[in-house]
Amino acid sequence: MFNYKYFDDLSIELIDGDRGKNYPKNDEMLEKGYCLFLNAKNVTLNGFVFDENVFITKEKDGILRKGKLNRNDIVLTTRGTIGNVGLYDDKITYDNVRINSGMLIIRNNDNNINTRYLYYQLTSPFIRNQIFSLKTGSAQPQIPITVLKKLKLIIPDKRIQDKIVRVMDSIINKLTLNNEINNNLYEFSNSIFKKWFIQFEYPDFNGNLKESELGKIPEDWEIGYFDDSKLTSIIKSGVDKFEGTKKYVATADVTEKNITNYEEVSYNEKPSRANMTPRISSVWFAKMENSVKNILVDSYMKDILNNYIFSTGFMGVECINNSLYYIWNIINDDKFLQEKNSLSTGTLMAGISNSTIKNYKYLIPDQNTLHKFNEIQLNINKKIYNNSIQNEKLSQLRDTLLPKLMNGEIDLDNIEV
């Protein structure tokens, strides 16, 4: 049994970001720049994700005081979405990174503590449960430094820490490899789509076709609408009554094409008209302006079909006649995002509606072409899905194993790593 330690017992700094008059304003955030300025989407339950980034200039970075990361710093989200953690190690390709005002830097200066061990412990249910019990505020949960110092940490002998890190690294390395394979498969999938179809100009919203310099549109290809019976139809909201619990997915729980989080809910907690049930051969995309988040659902995805419901922040499109992967690629294409943005309405949170998107026009290839394309993409996506399922099991193993390793329930001397 280990004695608990607190941050004040250790040589660990807890560092706020700069919240002064020089804090970057919205119009100072750039798509590209000198210093990556972390946002809430960059720090997840499973570490850093760099799908949606903003930057500040070198000049702006130079006048900010606190909040600049050093290598091997740990970032913890402390406001709004609390308890997400990222490790700024040598694998991160950005050399200049700052935290925003809803984050905290944890900087380990203690030679008796393995920084990766500290990071893994902060991702564990043991710490996360404490964070949620200590949080303050209801409208916007937060955990100030004074409260954070009350966290109980398990700090075993350094030799034990190092062995725990080797065990956890072996799991994380496999997770990382699977993610890299999936990213490559996504790129390969997209390259096939572009090679087969982007040689032709897509119709604009009025249905006008423009032939590109690269190719003439085949005569047996047509124009389709999102809400007709040719290939697609918009899925109306509502779920069938269910017993027990389902995994409720909001748009915030998805990064591009991956479900990264969910909430366990009963039928009574989420009224049927407020959510939607996944269907075989459907694509779900976030209604919000500028959002590229989407989820593909095929017949082999039994877990999603049987156990999930989606919030009405998503719009569902049911696909028939070998069109699933073709429509999915259309939704992933920049031209669709541009059209969606142009049709988005609303002041507080602009987004697309069923009435505006239902007449979206797209090019329909002949059935033979659709069938061949669908078969190729199906094989690619099955590999992606199987890797994702393996990652989910590895994540469960990580979350189950880590507390037992920290508490000494598993004899590390009998584990070969």
Side-chain angles (χ1 to χ4, degrees), residues 223-241:
I223 295 175
Y225 300 80
F226 255 14
D227 203 26
D228 66 10
S229 58
K230 190 75 177 180
L231 292 183
T232 54
S233 60
I234 302 294
I235 298 174
K236 306 302 186 289
S237 62
V239 297
D240 298 326
K241 190 170 180 62

Side-chain angles (χ1 to χ4, degrees), residues 2-14:
F2 302 118
N3 293 323
Y4 292 127
K5 298 283 187 180
Y6 300 88
F7 282 112
D8 282 344
D9 300 325
L10 307 164
S11 296
I12 295 176
E13 297 178 74
L14 302 178

